[in-house]
Amino acid sequence: MRDVISAPASGLDLGREYGHHQSPAIRAGGLIFCSGMVAVNPETGEREHGTVTSEARRIFENLKLLLESAGSSLDRIVQVHAMIYDRIEYDVLNRIYRQYVPDAPPARTVMSVQIEAGFKIMLDVIAAA
Amino acid sequence: MTLFRQVIEPGNPAVDPSRKFNLPLSPAVRGGDFVFLSAMAAIDPATGERAHGTMAAETRQILTNMGALLEAVGSSLANVVKVNVLIYSMLEYENMNAVYREFFPTDPPARTVCGVKLIGGHKVEIECVALA
């Protein structure tokens, strides 16, 4: 059983907005696999470049919309790959990150990579359905 | 509770990098309801040699091999739930994306693409999780 989770707000459909060939999320085997999320406005789909803090805040808000539309939530996240543009921002990431997963946080890996379209952070999430 | 875990041998041993390049990995491992694939680079399925080429050519070779590997274990590209694409430069994103979409015509998997430093002179590596 493999279900496509459609975008909970039109701006979060990156396939339609930017031609990314991906579903927002897939539910399978009791888990929800989310596509890598970047900071876009959930209504308009416009990119919201900013600081690691502002981008992370937007991503978590969008992630909350996406997971809750699929019957899950931020506190059901199992694993996160947090990708940042420069590891010098590691502590900046941690400060905003802990606000959104304050208790029993998910397993996490942080890496420094090139992210699409000049973003500073992208989150890749697996959650319990 | 002990979950089922099984190492998958590819149908074609030429595309098994753990043999060809003596790497400590299994090409695929089944666990629970899922098959987890190691990241695949472009390998010529006839010889097992690295198939360096353009982003488009490497992407096509990888996804062709990935489809064959998944089918050898009773899964398929249509059963893939998540893909991670690692590319050497995000400037080549669209060259990867254009070929990628041919292999997942409807209801594509969730996906993350990022730019990283790859080994072996390859331009792209692709890993996935699929329903078994």
Side-chain angles (χ1 to χ4, degrees), chain A residues 52-71:
Chain A
V52 165
T53 302
S54 72
E55 290 189 12
R57 186 173 286 123
R58 174 56 87 189
I59 291 168
F60 269 113
E61 296 299 335
N62 291 347
L63 190 56
K64 185 169 187 289
L65 287 176
L66 178 63
L67 291 176
E68 290 182 357
S69 79

Side-chain angles (χ1 to χ4, degrees), chain A residues 1-2 4 18-31 33-37 81 83 111-117 122-125, chain B residues 33-34 77-82 84 87-91 93-94 97 100-102 104-116 129 131:
Chain A
M1 192 63 174
R2 175 190 184 279
V4 173
Y18 297 108
H20 294 10
H21 193 66
Q22 62 199 33
S23 298
I26 299 282
R27 186 198 290 114
L31 297 174
F33 298 82
C34 302
S35 288
M37 296 189 71
H81 288 166
M83 299 163 205
M111 58 193 111
S112 167
V113 303
Q114 277 188 332
I115 302 169
E116 65 185 77
M122 173 163 67
L123 296 182
D124 187 26
V125 168
Chain B
D33 293 338
F34 298 105
L77 288 177
N79 283 329
V80 173
V81 297
K82 177 70 202 293
N84 291 330
I87 59 182
Y88 80 107
S89 168
M90 288 302 278
L91 295 175
Y93 182 99
E94 198 45 52
N97 200 42
Y100 181 96
R101 67 172 63 244
E102 296 174 22
F104 298 99
T106 54
D107 292 345
R111 187 180 72 170
T112 299
V113 183
C114 61
V116 303
V129 180
L131 279 171

